[in-house]
């Protein structure tokens, strides 16, 4: 998304700006309380500047089918078993077809590392980047904080050899809002429209290049 120039606004101007399809600004409530606010057709993200997990988030698209999340669990488990590494998957929304699209970008993987130079698909809206931690617990590392600068949801799934753990957060410019309620993003009652697991699995051999293993 093209946001334009980042500016500083007060609460009155904030209420006006968030009605626009695209906006990027800093909301200043006091000398010590500032939020980076980014508004797009996908979401409204207001993340505290200089802090962590402070702010609020509103998802504006139709909720993702819970089948996407279940497919991610299964795919991440397959990669962990086959390669003993992490893996990254991107979730987009196709506004013309009004549906979600999953992509396994070409990447180098290791037990604690995923590296990709592949850019985003320009005709789609980026919704979520989610990666696995293989058999390690789910947490956002310092590497994640350095890499996850875009405006979208970021997720990590860990402990795939036990009871899987899931963490989600919304990001904007390196500021983050914790998403603790998965039900705000995913809907159990939405029927699957694609074989997401099959799509990801078909890309596994071509897209994933292990450089080390667990």
């Amino acid at each position: 998304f093209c946001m334009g120039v980042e500016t500083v606004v007060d609460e009155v101007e904030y209420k006006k700006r968030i009605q626009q399809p695209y906006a990027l600004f800093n909301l200043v409530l006091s000398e010590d309380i500032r939020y980076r606010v980014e508004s797009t057709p996908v979401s409204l993200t207001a993340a505290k500047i200089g802090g962590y997990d402070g702010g609020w988030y509103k998802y504006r698209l139709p909720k993702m089918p819970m089948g996407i999340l279940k497919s991610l669990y299964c795919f991440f488990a397959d990669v962990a078993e086959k390669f003993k590494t992490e893996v990254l998957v991107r979730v987009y929304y196709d506004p013309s077809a009004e549906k979600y699209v999953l992509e396994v970008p070409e990447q180098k993987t290791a037990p604690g590392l995923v590296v990709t130079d592949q850019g985003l698909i320009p005709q789609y809206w980026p919704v979520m980047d989610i990666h696995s931690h293989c058999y390690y617990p789910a947490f956002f590392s310092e590497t994640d904080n350095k890499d996850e600068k875009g405006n979208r949801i970021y997720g990590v799934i860990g402990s795939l050899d036990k009871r899987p753990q899931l963490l989600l957060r919304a990001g904007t410019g390196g500021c983050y809002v914790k998403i603790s309620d998965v039900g705000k993003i995913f809907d159990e009652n939405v029927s699957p429209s694609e074989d997401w697991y099959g799509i990801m699995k078909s890309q596994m051999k071509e897209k994933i290049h292990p450089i080390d293993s667990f």
Side-chain angles (χ1 to χ4, degrees):
F1 297 109
C2 180
M3 297 296 125
V5 179
E6 187 173 351
T7 58
V8 176
V9 307
D10 58 17
E11 291 183 78
V12 175
E13 184 64 19
Y14 162 80
K15 293 178 181 179
K16 295 179 182 178
R17 295 273 185 112
I18 63 173
Q19 304 303 319
Q20 302 172 6
Y22 301 98
L24 173 62
F25 55 90
N26 287 345
L27 171 64
V28 179
L29 299 183
S30 72
E31 184 176 342
D32 299 324
I33 303 178
R34 294 168 173 257
Y35 294 92
R36 178 184 166 96
V37 182
E38 195 160 358
S39 177
T40 75
V42 173
S43 64
L44 170 66
T45 306
K48 189 174 182 181
I49 298 172
Y52 183 71
D53 286 346
W56 54 96
Y57 179 78
K58 181 179 180 180
Y59 193 61
R60 290 172 167 165
L61 294 177
K63 291 182 181 180
M64 286 186 260
M66 189 64 75
I68 287 180
L69 189 56
K70 293 177 180 178
S71 296
L72 287 165
Y73 276 121
C74 294
F75 178 66
F76 287 170
D78 282 355
V79 173
E81 182 179 356
K82 182 176 178 61
F83 298 123
K84 305 296 190 294
T85 70
E86 296 186 0
V87 64
L88 167 70
V89 174
R90 290 172 174 163
V91 181
Y92 299 89
Y93 187 75
D94 180 350
S96 61
E98 297 184 340
K99 69 175 185 178
Y100 287 96
V101 177
L102 272 65
E103 176 201 31
V104 181
E106 189 158 2
Q107 58 197 277
K108 295 178 181 178
T109 64
L113 180 70
V114 172
V115 179
T116 180
D117 296 324
Q118 186 168 317
L120 299 173
I121 302 174
Q123 67 267 33
Y124 298 152
W125 294 346
V127 174
M128 179 172 68
D129 284 6
I130 184 166
H131 68 281
S132 69
H133 268 190
C134 200
Y135 302 137
Y136 294 120
F139 64 94
F140 290 106
S141 67
E142 286 303 313
T143 299
D144 295 335
N145 293 338
K146 291 177 182 178
D147 292 343
E148 297 175 350
K149 302 294 189 183
N151 175 231
R152 49 191 173 273
I153 297 169
Y154 293 98
V156 57
I157 297 176
S159 297
L160 292 168
D161 58 337
K162 302 173 185 176
R163 183 175 181 178
Q165 302 171 338
L166 169 68
L167 292 178
L168 295 175
R169 66 182 181 181
T172 170
C175 303
Y176 307 101
V177 181
K178 183 178 180 180
I179 300 175
S180 55
D181 185 358
V182 176
K184 292 183 177 180
I185 310 298
F186 296 92
D187 192 339
E188 184 72 57
N189 298 316
V190 177
S191 300
S193 61
E194 306 280 350
D195 177 14
W196 293 294
Y197 171 70
I199 292 170
M200 290 185 288
K201 187 135 187 188
S202 69
Q203 300 176 44
M204 183 188 297
K205 185 176 180 180
E206 177 185 359
K207 299 293 187 178
I208 301 173
H209 308 289
I211 55 177
D212 196 3
S213 61
F214 193 91

